[in-house]
Amino acid sequence: MSISQFTKRILCIGAGYVGGPTMAVIALKCPQYKVTLVDSNAERIAEWNSDRLPIYEPGLDEVVTSVRGKNLFFSMETEKNIHEADIIFVSVNTPTKMFGVGAGMAADLQYWEKTARQILACSDQPKIIVEKSTLPVKTALAMERILNFGPDGLHFDVLSNPEFLAEGTAIQDLSEPDRVLVGSRLTESGLAARQEIVDIYRNWVPEEKILVSDVWSSELSKLVSNLFLSQRISTINSISAFCEKTGADVDRVAKAVGMDHRIGDKFLKAGIGFGGSCFKKDILNLVYMCQTYGLEEVADYWQGVVRINEYQKERFVTNMLQAMFNTLAGKRICLFGFAFKADTGDTRESAAFYIARRLIDEQARVVVTDPKALPNAKIDLAGFGDAVEFERGPYEAAEGCHAIAVMTEWRQYRALDYQKIYKRMVKPAFIFDGRNILDHKALFDMGFNVYPVGKPALMHLHES
Ligand code: NAD
Ligand code: UGA
């Protein structure tokens, strides 16, 4: 199809974990549209145009390869592409603000605002602007105020179309979403713009899964979805602490609770605390907004979810310390996994980082292995010098270690030859299974002292 035959020209500003996969799937499902991504990071764009994509996501390479250069383009020509586009998705990062008012809590909207001003500067026709990033409620209003008060009197409709994909399952989530949400102003032009966005998704998403709403409800629904998911994790993690004191088994409790269809069995896996770039920032963002509106009780309630998450990570380290005779100084501890979850190379806010840092505080030597996240782990841990080592293979990583701590639930860690690993470790050998993925009884029988999360530890108290 020649460029002029495309029926819509879609641009996405921000080619990250969300922008890249989302636009690749739109391009795949809608060959009649031209889809372009731009990013201020030239290296990222070059990687998207290469054989080594900047992010690891199962199935992503195949999708990108099949549409890149046909109707999917990665470009550094931001001005030209803004000028040409009919619809602009904005998927820039919205991290927690680390300075000034709201530091450590509020969303940092500087990237977002820069984008709005850039769109205005490069437009000579009205356009539909779509918030893809997760934003504080009423951010669309700020964007409208920047865009619709420009010198040329152009009108822009600003819509909210939050993204619900999870890393590691992004292609599946985008191809068969639970729902797609599009929020707009309820004006004539807002409703027409909303229909344009709905029409994109109708190419592959069943009608009944496409929800429409006002803008503020849509913005808030995204935050609340993440709040509910993270709350479930903190809930089960809080119970894991209780289980460790009482001898109950958190996985059995989660199973029994989750079989109640009103509760459901997802997001009830106890572990080392949730990581990832979004849960914590989105909770803090809502907490900050609640405080701003004087809703202190509501703010405290949600702050508790973050508090339990911090507690869970710290608890894991103190459990290790106590189990290993109250000293980790000079001991080698191998971290199995550094990604914040399996099937991604992403390490943003990974609990493994916190745990590595705390182990180093205790003067342990940390050896990190991960099938996909070693490049990011090396960047994250660069400041710790030779207190940290990196090994691609788990067998080599565990060699000469006093303990293994499972940080990421990579499937391959279940299938390792732990007998072989045990032989190479310092005795007594410890395994702290932060994800409860291993066969604890079998490991114990091999000779390991085994410490799961939220279950009784299996300890060899006497020489066998
Ligand atoms: P990311 O950091 O991977 O990607 C953001 C990209 O935007 C970066 O490549 C950055 O260089 C680029 N950028 C920033 N300012 C720019 C500008 N002015 N012009 C051009 N490019 C610019 O972030 P992400 O993980 O893709 O998240 C993006 C948004 O989506 C966030 O608001 C996040 O909360 C939300 N979200 C993320 C996920 C996820 O799984 N990562 C899921 C749903 C929603
Ligand atoms: C999460 C949401 O699941 C997505 O719907 C949302 O779009 C996204 O955040 C976002 O807004 O960024 P993601 O962070 O990629 O997706 O991954 P999750 O599968 O939600 O896992 C988050 C963290 O919780 C991981 O560290 C994971 O290991 C942990 N987790 C998850 C548990 O500890 N227990 C569970 O039962 C589930």
Side-chain angles (χ1 to χ4, degrees):
M1 192 178 288
S2 82
I3 301 266
S4 57
Q5 286 169 311
F6 290 119
T7 58
K8 278 189 211 296
R9 284 156 303 181
I10 296 175
L11 175 68
C12 179
I13 303 181
Y17 284 89
V18 169
T22 308
M23 291 302 127
V25 169
I26 292 181
L28 181 74
K29 303 290 183 185
C30 313
Q32 71 275 29
Y33 304 157
K34 181 187 178 198
V35 182
T36 306
L37 285 114
V38 293
D39 199 291
S40 49
N41 181 337
E43 201 182 322
R44 236 182 191 184
I45 291 296
E47 284 172 343
W48 279 113
N49 279 321
S50 77
D51 292 339
R52 229 184 128 80
L53 301 185
I55 63 174
Y56 170 70
E57 190 62 62
L60 179 65
D61 284 34
E62 292 81 342
V63 175
V64 170
T65 315
S66 68
V67 285
R68 193 174 51 196
K70 292 184 183 145
N71 68 328
L72 178 70
F73 303 90
F74 297 94
S75 167
M76 282 305 290
E77 293 182 296
T78 304
E79 284 82 5
K80 173 176 162 280
N81 280 296
I82 290 177
H83 185 257
E84 275 180 7
D86 307 310
I87 298 173
I88 302 179
F89 287 83
V90 184
S91 185
V92 300
N93 36 329
T94 51
T96 302
K97 193 177 173 198
M98 297 315 285
F99 54 88
V101 174
M105 299 289 291
D108 184 348
L109 297 177
Q110 60 172 309
Y111 308 103
W112 180 257
E113 185 174 331
K114 266 184 208 140
T115 312
R117 293 187 189 281
Q118 201 170 19
I119 292 173
L120 182 62
C122 303
S123 299
D124 58 10
Q125 283 180 44
K127 295 179 194 298
I128 299 174
I129 312 301
V130 186
E131 295 179 341
K132 207 29 146 175
S133 304
T134 306
L135 293 158
V137 180
K138 297 242 157 166
T139 304
L141 185 60
M143 192 150 208
E144 278 178 353
R145 288 180 60 201
I146 294 171
L147 288 171
N148 289 334
F149 287 87
D152 302 333
L154 293 176
H155 175 77
F156 295 83
D157 284 293
V158 181
L159 279 73
S160 160
N161 170 221
E163 186 46 63
F164 297 102
L165 69 81
E167 290 177 32
T169 53
I171 298 300
Q172 167 70 22
D173 297 342
L174 289 162
S175 303
E176 290 176 38
D178 286 351
R179 77 305 208 183
V180 165
L181 179 57
V182 188
S184 72
R185 289 261 185 201
L186 305 178
T187 57
E188 196 180 324
S189 117
L191 293 173
R194 185 162 91 185
Q195 193 55 43
E196 288 258 353
I197 304 305
V198 167
D199 286 345
I200 296 177
Y201 289 101
R202 276 181 35 196
N203 283 292
W204 78 97
V205 179
E207 196 93 33
E208 64 278 12
K209 294 200 168 181
I210 304 179
L211 300 179
V212 289
S213 82
D214 61 277
V215 186
W216 325 134
S217 304
S218 172
E219 289 175 332
L220 182 58
S221 304
K222 168 63 199 175
L223 288 177
V224 174
S225 297
N226 276 359
L227 262 61
F228 268 65
L229 292 170
S230 52
Q231 182 203 41
R232 284 174 72 96
I233 302 170
S234 277
T235 300
I236 200 67
N237 282 339
S238 72
I239 298 304
S240 75
F242 193 79
C243 289
E244 285 167 29
K245 295 287 180 209
T246 55
D249 179 327
V250 74
D251 283 342
R252 289 200 181 125
V253 175
K255 183 161 187 195
V257 171
M259 280 177 77
D260 184 330
H261 74 277
R262 296 169 302 174
I263 297 172
D265 61 359
K266 305 283 192 302
F267 275 71
L268 286 181
K269 187 77 185 149
I272 49 176
F274 56 77
S277 61
C278 292
F279 279 172
K280 184 174 169 193
K281 95 164 156 64
D282 291 347
I283 301 167
L284 294 177
N285 179 353
L286 188 101
V287 166
Y288 182 71
M289 284 191 285
C290 288
Q291 288 169 344
T292 311
Y293 289 120
L295 301 173
E296 288 300 335
E297 283 76 7
V298 184
D300 278 358
Y301 177 77
W302 288 107
Q303 183 90 51
V305 172
V306 177
R307 258 198 315 270
I308 289 289
N309 202 51
E310 304 301 323
Y311 167 71
Q312 190 72 355
K313 291 186 274 189
E314 181 58 24
R315 228 168 57 69
F316 188 79
V317 176
T318 43
N319 279 351
M320 288 181 78
L321 184 63
Q322 278 166 16
M324 295 176 73
F325 321 113
N326 291 308
T327 175
L328 298 176
K331 291 182 180 166
R332 285 173 74 82
I333 298 179
C334 175
L335 300 187
F336 271 14
F338 202 78
F340 81 97
K341 64 183 284 195
D343 294 323
T344 179
D346 193 355
T347 60
R348 290 177 293 176
E349 291 291 333
S350 179
F353 175 77
Y354 176 90
I355 290 165
R357 190 167 55 75
R358 289 286 293 107
L359 294 174
I360 294 166
D361 286 346
E362 293 294 333
Q363 299 189 354
R365 277 188 81 85
V366 173
V367 188
V368 178
T369 181
D370 189 290
K372 293 288 174 191
L374 276 194
N376 281 330
K378 286 180 185 168
I379 296 169
D380 297 344
L381 297 168
F384 294 104
D386 58 9
V388 190
E389 292 169 37
F390 302 91
E391 275 291 349
R392 250 204 96 63
Y395 296 105
E396 293 76 12
E399 177 105 44
C401 284
H402 297 72
I404 292 170
V406 179
M407 300 283 99
T408 312
E409 70 283 17
W410 286 104
R411 265 179 304 281
Q412 45 268 58
Y413 294 151
R414 294 168 206 253
L416 297 174
D417 179 349
Y418 281 94
Q419 200 95 54
K420 179 167 151 189
I421 289 176
Y422 180 74
K423 282 196 196 124
R424 295 174 171 204
M425 288 179 65
V426 176
K427 310 296 175 321
F430 292 80
I431 287 202
F432 298 89
D433 185 358
R435 298 292 192 160
N436 285 347
I437 55 168
L438 304 180
D439 182 341
H440 301 144
K441 173 74 172 54
L443 292 171
F444 177 70
D445 290 344
M446 285 172 204
F448 282 104
N449 293 290
V450 187
Y451 291 77
V453 172
K455 305 176 190 245
L458 303 173
M459 290 169 282
H460 294 279
L461 298 175
H462 309 285
E463 250 179 277
S464 50

